[in-house]
C-alpha cells in the first residue's frame, strides 16, 4: 500500500496500521527485522491478530556491537555477516509475500560512526529502510511487547541487548511509563578490563538509570532479551524445572542468586552444552549475570518473569487498534486454532456454555481458562486415537501462546488429556505434575471429563444437550434432558461419561427427562 505524505505523517515511521479495520481479527503476514547489537532477526507474524503466531523466525548472532566501545565502529566481521543475513531476509520476505516489512536498528547502528554508511549500504543492497531508533524508543517498544502478552503488566521491563540496556516502568492499565536507556550491554562490558572496574561501571550505570526513572523499587521485573533468556535456561537447568518454555517462566531473587553462583562456579563449556546455548551467547552470560544481579539488588522485585515478547512484538502491538488490544490473547489464539483445526468450529463456545454451570464459583481468570479448554477440545481430532490424549497435553503445554502462566498451561493440558482419557497415570502429565497444585489438578480433571461428556452431543442443536446443574450441598449432579431427540442422544457411552464426571465431582448422577 502506498501512503501519501499526510498519511505517512500520521502513521509515523512504522507505516500504516497493520489491521484493515478495528474488526480485523486475522493478520496479513507481517514481517519485522530487528538489527540488534548482538543478533539480527527476522520474524514474520501470522494468524490471530491479537496473539500472532510465528510464521517464520530466524536469528543470526552477528555481534555488530562487538568492539564498538573501543573502535567507535561496527564490528567489521559482524557488519559483513549482518549484510548477508539482511539480503537473505529481504529475499525470504518477498517469497513469503509479507505484507508489511519493518526494519529497526538499535544501539550498535545508532552509536557507530559508520552506522549511517551501513544504513545506506543496506538500503542499496536490499531496498530495506532501517529505522534507527533511540534508546527511549527502544525501551518503549520492548515494553509494548511485554504488554502484548500481559496487557495488565505492572512493574518494570528490563531489556538487555548487546550494547545497551533499557528500562521502562509499566504502571498497569496497558500503559508504558518512564523509560531510560543505559550502556550496560554485555558486548560493551567486555571492553572494561578488571572485575572491580566492571563492577563499578555496572553499579553506577544501574544507579543512574534508577535515578532517571525516579524509582528504585518494583515488585515485578519483566525480562526481555536473549542474554536474560540464556540465564533463565541456566536457572531451569539448576532447578531441574520440567517445562522448557521460557515465556512466563518466573524466578525469585533467591533463585537467581543461586543461579549466579552456579554461573560463577561452573565450567562454561559444560554449562553451555547442558543448557543447549550457543557459544556466542554463552560467552556473554557471565557479564549479563553481573548486570542482572545489580538490577535485582537495586529494584528488589519479589518476582522476575521472562517475556519472550520484546521489541519485535512491540512493533506489532504498537499498531493494534484499542479494540483489538482489549481482546484476550489466549482466547483469540484458541479461537484461531479452533477455526483452523476443529471439526465443528463454533462448538467450543456451545460446549463451554454447557459445562459452565459446574464452574459458576470459579474466578474469572479460571473461567477464561476453561473457555480456552473448550475452544481447543477438538483441535487434535486428526491424531491417532491411541495418542490423542498425549498429543493434546504436549500441544497445550508447549504451545507458543501468550496470556497464560506455566501452571495454567499444565491445567489446560491436563483438562484436554482428560477429554480423551480418564486416567492420567503413565502420561506426560506426571513429569509436569509439580507445577499444578492438588485442587487445580482435580478441577482440570473435572473440566476434561465434562468436555468428554459434552462432546458426545457435538454437531447437535445446543437445545438437545440438556442442562447440567450442580447441587453441591445435596451432592448431586443433575442432567435435565429434553424429551425425544435429546433423550435419544444419551446413549450408554454418554451415560458412562456422565457417571465418571459425577464421580470426579464427588456427586451422585441424576438424569431428569424434560426441561428444567
Ligand atoms: C540485541 O542487541 O541484539 C538484542 O536485542 C538481542 C540479543 O540477541 O541479545
Ligand atoms: Mg535489542
Amino acid at each position: 500500500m502506498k501512503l501519501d505524505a499526510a498519511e505517512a505523517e500520521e502513521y509515523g515511521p512504522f507505516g500504516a496500521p497493520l489491521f484493515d479495520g478495528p474488526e480485523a481479527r486475522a493478520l496479513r503476514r507481517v514481517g519485522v527485522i530487528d538489527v540488534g547489537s548482538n543478533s539480527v532477526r527476522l520474524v514474520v507474524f501470522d494468524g490471530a491478530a491479537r496473539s500472532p503466531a510465528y510464521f517464520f523466525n530466524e536469528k543470526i548472532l552477528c555481534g555488530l556491537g562487538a568492539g564498538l566501545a573501543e573502535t567507535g565502529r561496527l564490528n567489521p566481521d559482524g557488519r559483513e555477516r549482518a549484510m548477508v543475513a539482511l539480503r537473505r531476509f529481504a529475499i525470504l520476505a518477498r517469497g513469503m509475500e509479507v505484507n508489511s516489512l519493518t526494519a529497526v536498528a538499535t544501539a550498535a547502528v545508532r552509536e557507530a560512526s559508520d552506522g549511517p554508511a551501513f544504513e545506506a549500504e543496506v538500503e542499496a543492497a536490499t531496498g530495506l529502510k532501517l529505522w534507527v531508533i533511540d534508546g527511549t524508543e527502544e525501551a518503549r517498544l520492548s515494553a509494548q511487547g511485554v504488554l502484548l502478552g500481559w496487557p495488565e503488566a505492572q512493574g518494570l521491563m528490563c531489556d538487555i541487548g548487546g550494547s545497551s540496556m533499557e528500562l521502562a516502568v509499566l504502571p498497569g492499565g496497558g500503559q508504558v511509563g518512564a523509560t531510560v536507556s543505559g550502556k550496560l550491554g554485555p558486548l560493551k562490558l567486555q571492553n572494561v578490563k578488571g572485575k572491580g572496574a566492571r563492577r563499578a561501571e555496572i553499579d553506577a550505570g544501574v544507579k543512574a538509570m534508577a535515578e532517571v526513572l525516579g524509582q528504585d523499587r518494583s515488585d515485578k521485573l519483566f525480562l526481555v532479551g536473549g542474554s536474560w533468556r540464556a540465564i533463565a535456561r541456566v536457572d531451569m537447568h539448576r532447578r531441574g524445572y520440567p517445562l522448557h518454555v521460557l515465556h512466563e517462566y518466573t524466578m525469585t531473587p533467591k533463585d537467581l542468586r543461586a543461579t549466579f553462583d552456579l554461573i560463577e562456579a561452573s565450567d562454561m563449556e559444560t554449562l553451555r552444552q547442558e543448557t543447549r546455548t550457543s557459544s556466542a551467547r554463552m560467552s556473554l552470560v557471565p557479564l549479563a549475570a553481573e548486570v542482572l544481579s545489580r538490577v535485582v539488588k537495586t529494584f528488589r522485585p519479589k518476582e522476575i518473569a521472562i517475556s519472550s515478547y520484546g521489541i519485535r512484538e512491540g512493533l506489532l502491538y504498537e499498531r493494534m487498534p484499542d479494540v483489538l488490544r482489549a481482546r484476550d490473547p489466549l482466547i483469540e489464539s484458541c479461537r484461531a486454532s479452533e477455526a483452523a483445526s476443529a471439526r465443528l468450529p463454533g462448538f467450543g463456545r456451545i460446549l463451554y456454555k454447557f459445562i459452565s454451570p459446574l464452574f459458576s464459583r470459579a474466578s474469572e481468570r479460571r473461567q477464561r481458562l476453561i473457555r480456552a479448554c473448550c475452544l481447543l477440545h477438538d483441535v487434535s481430532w486428526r491424531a491417532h486415537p491411541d495418542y490423542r490424549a498425549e498429543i493434546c497435553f504436549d500441544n497445550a503445554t508447549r504451545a507458543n501462546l501468550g496470556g497464560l502462566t506455566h501452571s495454567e498451561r499444565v491445567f489446560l493440558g491436563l483438562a484436554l488429556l482428560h477429554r480423551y482419557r480418564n486416567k492420567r497415570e503413565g502420561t506426560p502429565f506426571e513429569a509436569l505434575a509439580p507445577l499444578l497444585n492438588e485442587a487445580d489438578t482435580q478441577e482440570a480433571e473435572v473440566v476434561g471429563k465434562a468436555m468428554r461428556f459434552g462432546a458426545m452431543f457435538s454437531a447437535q442443536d445446543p437445545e438437545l444437550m440438556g442442562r447440567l446443574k450442580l447441587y453441591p450441598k445435596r451432592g448431586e449432579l443433575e442432567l435435565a434432558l429434553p424429551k425425544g431427540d435429546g433423550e435419544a442422544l444419551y446413549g450408554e457411552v454418554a451415560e458412562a461419561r456422565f457417571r465418571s464426571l459425577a464421580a470426579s465431582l464427588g456427586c451422585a448422577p441424576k438424569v431428569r427427562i424434560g426441561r428444567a
Side-chain angles (χ1 to χ4, degrees):
M1 180 168 70
K2 193 98 191 91
L3 301 180
D4 65 28
E7 280 172 325
E9 168 91 22
E10 185 189 335
Y11 295 137
F14 305 121
L18 298 170
F19 310 93
D20 288 326
E23 283 318 302
R25 281 208 146 133
L27 210 57
R28 298 165 300 151
R29 228 162 271 176
V30 172
V32 176
I33 291 176
D34 173 7
V35 181
S37 315
N38 253 331
S39 59
V40 174
R41 192 193 287 249
L42 167 65
V43 175
V44 178
F45 298 107
D46 203 359
R50 181 57 187 82
S51 190
Y54 293 78
F55 183 78
F56 186 87
N57 192 353
E58 184 173 307
K59 170 181 73 177
I60 296 160
L61 281 163
C62 297
L64 271 176
L68 171 72
E70 272 171 353
T71 64
R73 298 176 67 82
L74 293 173
N75 182 277
D77 173 52
R79 183 173 164 164
E80 234 167 79
R81 291 172 60 212
M83 278 306 303
V84 172
L86 290 170
R87 259 197 219 109
R88 174 178 152 74
F89 290 166
I91 298 167
L92 285 171
R94 226 178 300 134
M96 283 182 256
E97 295 178 7
V98 164
N99 248 297
S100 137
L101 184 61
T102 306
V104 289
T106 52
V109 180
R110 88 175 155 248
E111 285 172 18
S113 59
D114 55 345
F118 175 72
E119 261 181 85
E121 196 192 337
V122 169
E123 190 163 0
T126 65
L128 285 171
K129 171 94 194 83
L130 279 189
W131 299 104
V132 184
I133 57 175
D134 67 21
T136 51
E137 183 65 353
E138 191 177 348
R140 196 182 64 80
L141 286 169
S142 296
Q144 297 270 45
V146 170
L147 292 175
L148 179 88
W150 285 273
E152 295 307 316
Q154 221 174 339
L156 191 65
M157 184 291 305
C158 181
D159 179 354
I160 189 102
S163 305
S164 71
M165 182 173 92
E166 281 71 36
L167 293 174
V169 174
L170 293 162
Q175 301 299 307
V176 179
T179 58
V180 61
S181 175
K183 302 188 185 303
L184 287 174
L187 286 177
K188 237 195 188 128
L189 293 168
Q190 272 179 337
N191 291 86
V192 183
K193 298 282 172 273
K195 207 170 170 183
R198 197 165 64 227
R199 195 173 172 153
E201 178 146 343
I202 294 171
D203 288 1
V206 176
K207 187 161 178 252
M209 290 173 83
E211 274 163 17
V212 173
L213 292 183
Q215 173 170 335
D216 64 359
R217 268 225 80 116
S218 190
D219 279 353
K220 186 149 179 177
L221 193 59
F222 296 89
L223 299 181
V224 173
S227 299
W228 293 159
R229 289 197 298 274
I231 293 174
R233 268 203 303 280
V234 176
D235 192 73
M236 283 180 167
H237 169 68
R238 179 189 61 76
R239 286 167 65 186
Y241 192 77
L243 181 62
H244 294 182
V245 169
L246 285 166
H247 190 62
E248 296 220 16
Y249 175 64
T250 58
M251 300 167 282
T252 63
K254 196 166 159 232
D255 287 328
L256 272 176
R257 277 196 299 275
T259 294
F260 296 149
D261 290 346
L262 178 71
I263 290 170
E264 249 200 273
S266 294
D267 168 54
M268 286 323 253
E269 180 51 26
T270 313
L271 200 55
R272 186 187 84 71
Q273 285 172 14
E274 285 167 346
T275 58
R276 286 187 287 163
T277 305
S278 70
S279 10
R281 179 66 70 189
M282 206 60 185
S283 68
L284 304 177
V285 161
L287 294 168
E290 287 178 33
V291 178
L292 187 54
S293 165
R294 183 33 67 189
V295 169
V296 169
K297 276 186 192 133
T298 302
F299 294 98
R300 289 166 288 156
K302 294 195 178 86
E303 189 180 67
I304 299 124
I306 296 290
S307 170
S308 293
Y309 300 161
I311 196 166
R312 299 170 287 271
E313 291 74 12
L315 278 162
L316 201 68
Y317 197 63
E318 174 86 353
R319 291 155 73 184
M320 255 182 217
D322 285 343
V323 274
L324 199 53
R325 286 187 185 185
R327 293 209 187 107
D328 184 322
L330 172 66
I331 297 299
E332 286 296 304
S333 63
C334 292
R335 278 196 183 120
S337 208
E338 188 197 33
S341 312
R343 281 169 300 178
L344 302 157
F347 186 67
R349 193 172 46 84
I350 295 168
L351 182 61
Y352 176 64
K353 222 178 130 202
F354 176 68
I355 72 170
S356 58
L358 307 183
F359 310 103
S360 57
R361 277 186 283 172
S363 66
E364 232 175 87
R365 174 96 190 171
R366 178 51 51 87
Q367 288 182 354
R368 83 166 305 228
L369 186 60
I370 297 171
R371 168 128 52 113
C373 295
C374 289
L375 290 168
L376 297 179
H377 88 283
D378 191 50
V379 298
S380 303
W381 69 273
R382 279 180 196 279
H384 189 285
D386 290 355
Y387 294 98
R388 250 178 229 150
E390 279 81 0
I391 285 173
C392 276
F393 183 80
D394 288 345
N395 280 348
T397 50
R398 297 172 186 172
N400 200 351
L401 274 180
L404 80 171
T405 64
H406 281 195
S407 72
E408 287 173 330
R409 277 176 185 272
V410 181
F411 185 104
L412 187 66
L414 183 60
L416 291 167
L417 184 148
H418 280 303
R419 179 251 179 275
Y420 289 112
R421 267 178 77 133
N422 285 334
K423 295 257 167 289
R424 54 181 168 270
E425 287 71 28
T427 69
F429 168 74
E430 290 188 316
L432 300 190
L435 302 188
L436 202 64
N437 68 33
E438 247 332 286
D440 288 347
T441 303
Q442 189 52 36
E443 189 165 58
E445 177 183 324
V446 173
V447 173
K449 289 190 171 174
M451 295 193 296
R452 185 165 164 76
F453 172 53
M456 294 296 297
F457 298 93
S458 62
Q460 297 309 321
D461 174 353
E463 286 299 300
L464 296 181
M465 296 177 79
R467 216 160 276 172
L468 285 172
K469 221 171 190 171
L470 184 63
Y471 298 94
K473 282 209 197 91
R474 265 199 261 155
E476 258 178 44
L477 177 65
E478 182 190 270
L479 172 69
L481 269 180
K483 256 193 157 356
D485 283 358
E487 204 183 340
L489 276 172
Y490 186 68
E492 59 182 275
V493 177
E495 191 186 331
R497 290 184 180 188
F498 181 57
R499 288 180 176 283
S500 171
L501 170 62
S504 67
L505 282 161
C507 287
K510 283 264 146 47
V511 180
R512 211 156 53 72
I513 309 296
R515 268 276 162 241

